[in-house]
Amino acid sequence: MNQNTSDASDSVLIARTIQDYAERNPIKPGKYAAKRIFAGEKAQITEIAFDAGVELPDHMARTPIIVQVISGEVDFTVGGATSTLGIGGSIFVEANVLHAVYAAQQARITVTFLNS
């Protein structure tokens, strides 16, 4: 029988509620604000808070990413196709792929950068 042992050092609490994100990275009028909220050996997580009508224009990540909407709604464009993602919506994007994010309303996303 295999026995796995773990303790509190085997985990990192990132957020208890959506309020944790709002307090840590407030929405800035007319802008987007990015804040790294976790940096580990296997992944990093950045939260991006968007004011209404703000776009994060075309850009690429050096690693594969998983993007998840935690509040509001965003239009996520990759490869010429745009998907509207609401709360809980998520998308995976390979490394070095051009993509953009537009928030018609205030929104928050998390971006998990996967280390290889």
Side-chain angles (χ1 to χ4, degrees), residues 75-87:
D75 290 333
F76 195 96
T77 302
V78 62
T82 300
S83 299
T84 300
L85 305 174
I87 296 170

Side-chain angles (χ1 to χ4, degrees), residues 34-103:
K35 182 173 181 98
R36 181 176 296 156
I37 60 175
F38 173 77
E41 184 179 315
K42 297 179 182 175
Q44 295 181 35
I45 302 173
T46 296
E47 182 216 344
I48 306 174
F50 292 86
D51 196 9
V54 172
E55 180 180 30
L56 177 53
D58 284 340
H59 62 285
M60 290 185 262
R62 292 187 308 252
T63 67
I65 60 172
I66 298 172
V67 177
Q68 183 168 18
V69 178
I70 57 173
S71 70
E73 184 178 276
V74 299
D75 290 333
F76 195 96
T77 302
V78 62
T82 300
S83 299
T84 300
L85 305 174
I87 296 170
S90 59
I91 190 166
F92 170 83
V93 181
E94 286 288 358
N96 302 310
V97 173
L98 202 61
H99 59 278
V101 184
Y102 173 73

